[in-house]
Amino acid sequence: MVAISFACLPSLVWAQSLPGAESADAGGPLDEFGTVDDEIVVSANGREYGAVIGDAKPELRFNVGDIMSFGVSSIGELLEELNPQIDGGTESPVFLLNGKRLKNVGEIRRYPARAILRVDVFTPDVAVRYGYAPTQRVINIVLRPRFRENAVEVTGTTSDQFDYGSQGVSASTLQINRDKRTFISAGYSRSDRLLASKRLNNGRYGRQPFSLQGNIGPAEGHAEIDPALSGLVGAPVEIAALPEWDGAFSLEDFARTANQPSLTDLNDYRTLMPSSRTLEGAASVTGKLGEDINATASLNLSQTRRTNLMGLAGSALSIAAANPYSPFNDDVTLYQYIGNSPLERRSKSTNVEATTTANGTHAGWNWDFEAGLTYGRQNLRADRGLDDDLLAEEIDAGALNPFNLAAEDLSRFAAYDRSLETSRVLQASMLGSRIIGRTEAGEISTSLNLEVQHQRLKNEVTEGAQEMSRTGDYFNTSGTASFSIPLLSADKDLGSPIGGVTLSPYVGFDTSGKFGTRMSWGAGVLWSPHGNVQLTVNYSDDAVFPSMSNLYGIEFRLPGELVYDPVLGQMVSATEISGGNADLRAGRQKMLKANLSVRPITGKSYTFTASFTRASLHNGVTRFPDPTAELEAQFPSRFIRDENGTLLAFDSRPVNAYRNTQTRLRFGINASWRVTEEGITADTGRGGPPGGFRGAGGPGGPGARGGGEMQSRAEAMGQPRSGEAGAGGPPPMMGADGAPNIPGMGPRRTPPGRIRFGLYYNWNLEQDLQLYKGGQTLDLLNGEGAGARSGQSPHVIDLQLGYSRAGAGVSLKGSWHSSQTINRDLATGRFAKVESYYSLDLRLFKNFNPRDWKDTILSGVMLSLEAKNLTDASPKIIGSNGYVTNEESAERYIGRTFMAKARKAF
């Protein structure tokens, strides 16, 4: 394939004929720092370089200038910034690279953002052409035809209180030369732990009556500790703090602490954010196999270690009246956090992914092949505290003094659980597409996709002396056939009074040994009543299946989980029972999605988008929700409480929910403006031509070329062709004084500045959950069954605003979340709520252009300073006892953070 770049720059022919000039798509100074921001690269057949299958028009387009205005250094960071604009709702988008399927977007997340030529966002009907359901937006990332960079990046983050921080360093090299691409990267990052005591003043004392000092309570079935102690005090004594050991205890020692329990701040022994260490590397090679086949091989490696502190383990030990150390006449109970070492939860996650892809053409078919191996190994060790049964045996035998356990070496009683999960996924798929016919409205195309997959999961759990193991295998074959059928043409000359209409039906199957064969089907309709208006309506009815972990995970207990207890109206520390459920069944998901895209002014960047999504999942797999009054009444066996009603454990293992329904409306506006010496004008760089690049006259018109001839950059600007002079003006590429006006050879224009704006509103209209047929329908948006760690705000507003010029800029990102009802509080009869909150992030950045900083250490450097959560927002749950923590939003409790980043390109 032959390709050439078009932009508002002098002709490549002239630039390449003079010494010192560099190709604008070569990754040289001309375009590395955003001085070229409206490139359109086309191939000899008139289609854009990296275009998707068919002639779909992008809903949104981000060109080089747009991308540089975000001030990000990698594709992964760019996608995070674009998320409010490309959000697909209930499903993540489909990612393409240069118009080809991308098995995992993680393959290119580390690529430098400057390697991107453009990012196109398409409506879900395009997903059908790649073998996906018409319910996911499509993101096509197109790389520059030529690019080179070797870079080192260093980052550092700290909170405004300097009690939390993270650091990272990475190095990478990327070389792109048309169909050849090589990438290698390696990186290391670490983060500190953040103790809950640094941020929270609530929920500090955990489960009463436990403490590090220890408290004495009555034996089971007794109302007071000891009648003799009550007589000495003159009132019933229900609890007493353990005095400091001085060799022996008497009743008089406990009379001084009668009904005055000791307390321990558990927030000193619990982390909001774990400490972590991550090491990762990636490599990929792309090249040609023969004349018509492009192939890629990639390898991604990562390992992450995390350590969480989960509080202290309390031991309730019965002490007989006959114990030689006891001063009491009755049996009593000791409640104590024994030892001052917090419960640790250590995890190590190792992942390896090897992928190969190939694509080409054969007998009129465009084909795309993918194959990959994914290997994962997850190690988890969770402390359980002490083995109370063994400890009680030695206390009863008189071998230990129960009133001075702090002086004893109790390491031999330490108890912990281990879990090892090993997974392997082998996958291969083939996609073929071609034109199969034609109507008056256009070409009829089809896409056929076949995929085979084998998954294997091995789970090993050790709980104390008990060892368990489970292995599961899952083989799956699936396929889809989709069609794109133009019914009416958007060309007014063909007599369509309502514009263009295209129908995109699909049908698919999914076969496995465990669930049999399930069919899927759906269709999408694209209506373009005007060149600036596009409406798509898509419906799908697909089979959905449980994951391997959901099916074959072994029951595992995780102590120290914070969860909202609706009975007490506060957060409590309880044990979560996790694992899999071998009885899970396959389900079905029905989804209706409508997308509207309007550019109200032709040729301008103003874009209005709106989407409506309604998804209904029948027999879908869901984690059992957090405790609520309604759920506990329906499933009492899922919740374990002590005699005082305190929640001790809850079972979160997955279940098939009879029905899960979500409805959402989302709309917003996107715009950008150019800033020059003449003033501010609306940008024209958003949205691409419907069928790739065409000249001003359309097919066969004045702007067209025959026989694969292509325009030069100068012609794209309306300048004379090579060798011609403008009427009454100097020759092309020459200034008014006759001097060359070529980058690197003489005067050059100052690149225009850019203002970028985006505002999006998300309205979650419905979120219902019915766990079993005939059971209560839980309204998750109104607090029925959502719990403290699930559910979502009914209303969310996202804002983006940025300005950049000559490689420097500022970017502002904000979000507002409405208050959210999360749980019914039985203590007061009210619902608990998460308060509304808003946050702002600010980024300042500067790229040092090698042309302006030649022969200095700053040449090729990018510096950025980012302040996150400037408003110091932290979601809070308001229950009967006031403010309590919401662990799902732990990152918000870090508060304001500041990040500095330096990137040096060689």
Side-chain angles (χ1 to χ4, degrees):
M1 179 182 69
V2 180
I4 191 167
S5 296
F6 291 86
C8 297
L9 281 178
S11 166
L12 270 177
V13 177
W14 282 81
Q16 290 177 340
S17 66
L18 295 170
E22 296 193 48
S23 166
D25 64 359
L30 284 182
D31 59 5
E32 278 188 332
F33 294 88
T35 58
V36 176
D37 53 11
D38 288 319
E39 284 188 303
I40 299 177
V41 181
V42 303
S43 57
N45 60 12
R47 289 174 53 80
E48 283 186 291
Y49 175 73
V52 300
I53 297 174
D55 58 356
K57 182 178 181 180
E59 184 180 44
L60 288 173
R61 166 163 293 178
F62 302 91
N63 55 33
V64 175
D66 297 318
I67 294 167
M68 298 302 295
S69 70
F70 285 99
V72 296
S73 60
S74 69
I75 290 181
E77 292 177 358
L78 176 65
L79 293 178
E80 291 180 9
E81 293 294 318
L82 295 180
N83 185 63
Q85 302 177 57
I86 65 177
D87 178 56
T90 56
E91 294 189 74
S92 60
V94 173
F95 287 96
L96 309 177
L97 182 64
N98 294 339
K100 306 298 182 181
R101 289 189 303 172
L102 186 63
K103 182 177 183 294
N104 184 353
V105 71
E107 297 177 23
I108 61 170
R109 279 190 175 275
R110 302 178 186 90
Y111 280 24
R114 295 192 296 109
I116 300 177
L117 181 66
R118 69 179 188 273
V119 176
D120 289 338
V121 182
F122 293 91
T123 50
D125 59 292
V126 176
V128 176
R129 306 176 190 181
Y130 290 89
Y132 299 95
T135 55
Q136 301 168 265
R137 271 191 168 88
V138 176
I139 313 301
N140 185 26
I141 299 171
V142 181
L143 301 178
R144 299 175 188 246
R146 289 195 178 96
F147 182 84
R148 60 179 180 274
E149 180 188 88
N150 303 312
V152 175
E153 183 174 294
V154 179
T155 61
T157 301
T158 184
S159 67
D160 60 350
Q161 299 184 35
F162 302 103
D163 53 9
Y164 173 82
S166 63
Q167 303 80 38
V169 60
S170 63
S172 64
T173 177
L174 175 62
Q175 308 287 333
I176 303 176
N177 185 7
R178 302 294 181 183
D179 298 319
K180 297 179 180 179
R181 186 171 71 247
T182 304
F183 176 70
I184 301 175
S185 75
Y188 172 79
S189 61
R190 63 171 303 277
S191 64
D192 303 325
R193 70 185 185 190
L194 178 64
L195 291 175
S197 57
K198 300 292 185 179
R199 294 294 184 273
L200 304 179
N201 294 317
N202 53 290
R204 306 179 71 89
Y205 302 117
R207 292 167 50 206
Q208 299 297 320
F210 295 93
S211 73
L212 272 175
Q213 180 179 338
N215 293 302
I216 297 296
E220 185 176 354
H222 292 234
E224 56 184 344
I225 295 176
D226 188 337
L229 178 61
S230 300
L232 185 62
V233 175
V237 179
E238 299 177 354
I239 192 169
L242 194 66
E244 185 176 350
W245 178 255
D246 60 358
F249 279 150
S250 65
L251 288 182
E252 287 74 12
D253 294 323
F254 288 93
R256 289 191 291 270
T257 63
N259 294 322
Q260 300 177 40
S262 60
L263 302 174
T264 297
D265 185 356
L266 286 186
N267 285 346
D268 288 330
Y269 303 91
R270 179 183 292 124
T271 52
L272 280 175
M273 297 293 294
S275 61
S276 67
R277 306 289 185 270
T278 298
L279 182 64
E280 55 187 3
S284 64
V285 177
T286 299
K288 272 191 167 296
L289 297 177
E291 292 293 327
D292 301 320
I293 300 177
N294 296 310
T296 298
S298 63
L299 179 66
N300 290 273
L301 310 170
S302 67
Q303 185 176 92
T304 299
R305 298 172 182 262
R306 290 188 177 92
T307 301
N308 272 295
L309 304 184
M310 307 303 297
L312 297 167
S315 294
L317 302 172
S318 296
I319 304 175
N323 189 286
Y325 299 97
S326 176
F328 302 107
N329 299 310
D330 287 345
D331 295 348
V332 295
T333 304
L334 170 65
Y335 300 94
Q336 189 172 15
Y337 297 126
I338 302 174
N340 58 3
S341 297
L343 297 174
E344 285 191 344
R345 186 179 298 173
R346 295 178 176 269
S347 65
K348 183 174 73 171
S349 174
T350 304
N351 293 283
V352 179
E353 183 173 13
T355 306
T356 182
T357 63
N359 57 78
T361 60
H362 179 72
W365 286 88
N366 295 312
W367 59 269
D368 190 332
F369 173 78
E370 287 183 351
L373 166 65
T374 302
Y375 172 83
R377 183 181 176 90
Q378 320 294 327
N379 280 283
L380 176 66
R381 169 176 164 155
D383 290 344
R384 285 195 290 118
L386 302 181
D387 189 321
D388 289 349
D389 292 336
L390 295 179
L391 187 60
E393 288 179 5
E394 296 211 14
I395 289 176
D396 292 341
L400 291 175
N401 178 2
F403 299 100
N404 192 26
L405 291 175
E408 302 284 351
D409 179 11
L410 303 178
S411 58
R412 63 186 183 278
F413 300 107
Y416 57 85
D417 300 331
R418 288 183 179 273
S419 171
L420 173 61
E421 181 181 281
T422 305
S423 62
R424 186 193 67 197
V425 179
L426 291 169
Q427 173 266 344
S429 66
M430 174 68 82
L431 171 70
S433 62
R434 69 169 297 166
I435 306 300
I436 59 174
R438 186 175 184 84
T439 67
E440 290 186 357
E443 296 173 335
I444 302 174
S445 63
T446 184
S447 296
L448 305 178
N449 183 61
L450 180 65
E451 180 174 350
V452 293
Q453 186 180 81
H454 179 263
Q455 302 180 62
R456 181 179 176 86
L457 180 75
K458 184 176 182 181
N459 219 315
E460 300 173 83
V461 169
T462 302
E463 291 187 346
Q466 184 180 9
E467 295 184 358
M468 296 167 285
S469 178
R470 180 184 296 172
T471 301
D473 285 274
Y474 185 86
F475 184 81
N476 170 265
T477 303
S478 61
T480 58
S482 59
F483 303 87
S484 179
I485 308 171
L487 302 179
L488 296 174
S489 173
D491 192 338
K492 294 182 180 179
D493 295 336
L494 296 181
S496 172
I498 63 172
V501 177
T502 301
L503 176 66
S504 301
Y506 82 95
V507 63
F509 71 93
D510 202 303
T511 300
S512 68
K514 184 175 179 63
F515 300 108
T517 299
R518 305 296 176 103
M519 300 299 296
S520 298
W521 65 276
V525 176
L526 168 64
W527 178 38
S528 300
H530 185 274
N532 292 345
V533 179
Q534 185 172 274
L535 174 66
T536 61
V537 179
N538 302 283
Y539 177 81
S540 64
D541 187 341
D542 296 326
V544 292
F545 302 93
S547 69
M548 292 291 288
S549 294
N550 285 334
L551 283 171
Y552 300 110
I554 298 179
E555 178 182 317
F556 194 70
R557 296 176 179 267
L558 299 170
E561 289 290 330
L562 284 182
V563 65
Y564 187 81
D565 186 345
V567 174
L568 299 180
Q570 65 182 25
M571 299 293 287
V572 298
S573 176
T575 296
E576 179 179 0
I577 303 172
S578 63
N581 181 353
D583 296 326
L584 293 175
R585 305 181 303 278
R588 296 201 69 83
Q589 177 173 270
K590 300 179 181 180
M591 183 177 295
L592 175 66
K593 178 173 287 191
N595 292 274
L596 174 66
S597 176
V598 179
R599 294 201 297 275
I601 304 177
T602 301
K604 302 300 181 182
S605 67
Y606 312 128
T607 304
F608 172 82
T609 59
S611 65
F612 172 83
T613 305
R614 178 176 175 81
S616 180
L617 184 60
H618 177 66
N619 270 343
V621 176
T622 181
R623 171 189 178 274
F624 197 86
D626 285 350
T628 66
E630 291 83 0
L631 285 176
E632 192 163 355
Q634 295 177 18
F635 302 93
S637 61
R638 288 265 178 171
F639 307 94
I640 303 173
R641 296 183 179 273
D642 63 14
E643 63 275 6
N644 298 318
T646 301
L647 183 67
L648 300 179
F650 62 100
D651 189 345
S652 67
R653 285 177 294 178
V655 294
N656 281 107
Y658 176 71
R659 184 174 58 85
N660 192 338
T661 304
Q662 297 184 52
T663 305
R664 192 180 81 149
L665 176 65
R666 172 183 171 85
F667 56 87
I669 187 170
N670 215 351
S672 63
W673 298 266
R674 287 174 175 270
V675 182
T676 64
E677 287 75 6
E678 289 76 23
I680 300 176
T681 58
D683 196 1
T684 60
R686 296 296 181 95
F693 182 84
R694 289 187 175 93
R705 289 279 188 270
E709 187 179 355
M710 295 164 288
Q711 289 179 309
S712 68
R713 288 177 181 266
E715 291 178 277
M717 297 169 58
Q719 297 177 1
R721 295 188 67 183
S722 177
E724 300 177 1
M733 304 295 294
M734 305 300 287
D737 57 358
N741 188 11
I742 301 172
M745 295 295 292
R748 60 182 176 89
R749 63 173 184 162
T750 301
R754 185 182 297 270
I755 297 175
R756 170 178 46 81
F757 173 78
L759 182 65
Y760 284 86
Y761 173 68
N762 302 275
W763 185 2
N764 295 301
L765 299 168
E766 178 186 25
Q767 189 179 5
D768 295 340
L769 176 66
Q770 188 177 12
L771 289 179
Y772 62 95
K773 187 176 182 179
Q776 180 187 5
T777 298
L778 302 174
D779 185 353
L780 304 186
L781 288 179
N782 288 303
E784 298 177 354
R789 302 184 300 173
S790 51
Q792 54 186 314
S793 297
H795 306 278
V796 178
I797 296 177
D798 295 309
L799 168 70
Q800 288 188 330
L801 182 64
Y803 171 75
S804 63
R805 185 164 188 172
V810 57
S811 179
L812 180 69
K813 182 170 64 175
S815 66
W816 174 81
H817 296 251
S818 67
S819 61
Q820 173 194 343
T821 304
I822 62 160
N823 216 315
R824 184 184 296 276
D825 185 351
L826 295 186
T828 63
R830 299 194 304 265
F831 283 91
K833 288 188 175 182
V834 174
E835 279 193 326
S836 63
Y837 67 95
Y838 65 94
S839 63
L840 291 174
D841 300 341
L842 177 69
R843 178 187 291 121
L844 305 173
F845 60 91
K846 170 63 178 175
N847 285 300
F848 292 88
N849 194 319
R851 284 192 304 251
D852 301 324
W853 298 86
K854 187 177 180 180
D855 299 327
T856 70
I857 193 173
L858 292 176
S859 176
V861 168
M862 175 185 177
L863 299 177
S864 69
L865 178 63
E866 184 171 352
K868 286 191 174 182
N869 197 14
L870 285 171
T871 57
D872 200 19
S874 57
K876 298 179 177 67
I877 299 176
I878 303 177
S880 62
N881 295 338
Y883 293 101
V884 290
T885 178
N886 178 8
E887 289 301 308
E888 182 72 3
S889 303
E891 289 190 7
R892 288 294 175 189
Y893 287 99
I894 299 175
R896 300 181 188 90
T897 59
F898 301 95
M899 183 183 73
K901 178 191 296 183
R903 182 182 180 90
K904 170 69 173 177
F906 302 93

